[in-house]
Amino acid sequence: MEQDKHQAYWRANTALIRNLLIVWALVSIVFSILLVEPLNAVRLGGVPLGFWMAQQGSIFVFVALIFIYAVQMDKLDRKHDIDE
């Protein structure tokens, strides 16, 4: 029984990490590298969006992912009754 709880906790933990890494890869590789030319057709504050995503937008997303991970892990810990 305890082993099942432990496995469920780690399954949820790795799923969260996987999903956040997918977002990270999309932003850093797809939006900042592969789609930079089409995104440059759109301007954000006078700056091409592709350039902005590569220089600043991806950093904002990465910081947001850190906070999302912390909040979601706190919820997951409470759900599975894991204390620090």
Side-chain angles (χ1 to χ4, degrees):
M1 181 75 167
E2 187 68 30
Q3 185 67 19
D4 292 338
K5 284 183 171 182
H6 183 73
Q7 285 180 343
Y9 173 76
W10 282 105
R11 207 172 307 118
N13 186 2
T14 55
L16 173 62
I17 292 170
R18 180 197 62 230
N19 294 338
L20 294 177
L21 283 174
I22 288 170
V23 171
W24 180 49
L26 282 172
V27 169
S28 63
I29 296 170
V30 176
F31 293 129
S32 298
I33 297 172
L34 299 176
L35 295 178
V36 72
E37 292 300 323
L39 288 176
N40 278 340
V42 178
R43 299 188 80 68
L44 180 68
V47 178
L49 182 60
F51 175 78
W52 186 86
M53 280 301 296
Q55 297 300 313
Q56 295 172 339
S58 58
I59 295 170
F60 290 144
V61 171
F62 300 154
V63 171
L65 289 176
I66 292 169
F67 286 107
I68 291 168
Y69 177 75
V71 169
Q72 292 301 317
M73 279 305 298
D74 187 47
K75 289 179 184 177
L76 187 63
D77 288 347
R78 279 190 263 120
K79 177 182 176 184
H80 289 275
D81 197 29
I82 305 290
D83 294 329
E84 289 189 37

